[in-house]
């Protein structure tokens, strides 16, 4: 059942949210966060994904991104599918104290959707919003960067390792991104200028 967040323009800049089923705090462990980072990096290098902002919270991810090849929906589908397989493999082969509990919830979630086989980690919806103005870009980037601050995890955004605020502050970051120079201007037809 669609909730109105379908990606119509496959080449446009979008703000997307990936949510873990039942708000399970899977990303409290570094290994799962690193699976996401490695997968995003792969999509940047091999699938034309351009990332302009990101945060990996305990149970959801926010991204500001676009596809230089116009295949954003299929890239996001592949990303979620691959990360699901990688996280399940880690969960089943490594020390994971929450293994049984998480696998039971992921298995339960899979029963409510025909497209699932055995486990469902991600909610199927990407909650994608097309970026249509400079004000909207600023709003979403500020929201992404202040997420860990609002959650009480850090005092300053750039202190959170899995957050693009580090890139924008010139600090070492876990993922290379395309920086937005918002004072340089932006328009919908060219998406934006760097």
């Amino acid at each position: 059942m669609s909730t109105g967040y379908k990606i119509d323009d496959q080449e446009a800049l979008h703000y997307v949210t990936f949510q873990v089923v039942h708000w399970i705090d899977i990303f409290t462990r570094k290994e799962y966060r690193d699976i996401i980072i490695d997968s995003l990096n792969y999509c940047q290098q091999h699938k034309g994904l351009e990332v302009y902002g990101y945060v990996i919270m305990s149970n959801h991810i926010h991204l500001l991104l676009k596809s230089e090849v116009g295949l954003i929906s299929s890239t996001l589908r592949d990303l979620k599918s691959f990360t699901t397989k990688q996280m399940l493999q880690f969960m089943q082969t490594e020390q994971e104290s929450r293994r049984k509990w998480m696998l039971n919830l992921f298995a339960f979630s899979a029963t409510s959707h025909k497209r699932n086989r055995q486990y469902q980690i991600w909610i199927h919806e990407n909650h994608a919003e097309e970026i249509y103005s400079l004000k909207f870009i600023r709003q979403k980037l500020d929201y992404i960067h202040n997420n860990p601050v609002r959650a009480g995890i850090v005092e300053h955004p750039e202190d959170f390792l899995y957050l693009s605020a580090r890139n924008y502050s010139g600090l070492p970051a876990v993922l290379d991104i395309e920086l937005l120079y918002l004072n340089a201007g932006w328009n919908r037809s060219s998406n934006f200028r760097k």
Side-chain angles (χ1 to χ4, degrees), residues 32-166:
Y32 299 116
R33 293 189 305 262
D34 288 343
I35 288 169
I36 300 300
I37 294 299
D38 291 344
S39 299
L40 285 169
N41 188 40
Y42 178 87
C43 288
Q44 288 173 311
Q45 293 178 12
H46 301 283
K47 292 183 172 273
L49 188 68
E50 296 178 353
V51 179
Y52 296 89
Y54 68 92
V55 64
I56 302 175
M57 298 298 288
S58 65
N59 53 26
H60 66 284
I61 298 168
H62 296 297
L63 299 160
L64 190 58
L65 49 76
K66 71 185 287 284
S67 171
E68 68 181 26
V69 294
L71 298 171
I72 194 167
S73 290
S74 60
T75 301
L76 296 180
R77 179 199 63 228
D78 293 349
L79 176 72
K80 288 170 82 172
S81 176
F82 181 77
T83 56
T84 293
K85 290 173 189 166
Q86 293 296 304
M87 289 187 286
L88 287 170
Q89 180 180 354
F90 177 84
M91 203 174 298
Q92 294 169 336
T93 59
E94 301 297 326
Q95 286 286 80
E96 173 53 79
S97 59
R98 306 168 299 163
R99 175 186 301 138
K100 185 175 179 182
W101 172 73
M102 286 195 297
L103 289 176
N104 283 340
L105 284 172
F106 296 148
F108 175 75
S109 294
T111 63
S112 62
H113 295 280
K114 290 179 183 177
R115 59 175 123 161
N116 295 329
R117 291 195 177 130
Q118 190 174 4
Y119 298 107
Q120 178 184 348
I121 291 182
W122 300 110
I123 287 181
H124 289 298
E125 179 66 60
N126 289 328
H127 193 95
E129 297 178 66
E130 187 175 328
I131 301 298
Y132 53 84
S133 71
L134 183 58
K135 180 179 177 183
F136 198 29
I137 292 174
R138 286 190 176 118
Q139 176 193 18
K140 292 305 183 184
L141 201 54
D142 286 345
Y143 183 84
I144 288 170
H145 289 172
N146 285 302
N147 211 314
V149 175
R150 284 189 305 277
I153 299 169
V154 293
E155 187 174 344
H156 305 287
E158 60 274 6
D159 295 335
F160 193 68
L161 187 59
Y162 291 85
L163 178 64
S164 57
R166 296 184 61 82

Side-chain angles (χ1 to χ4, degrees), residues 6 70 84 156 165 178 186:
K6 184 179 178 219
T84 293
H156 305 287
E178 301 287 332
W186 179 87

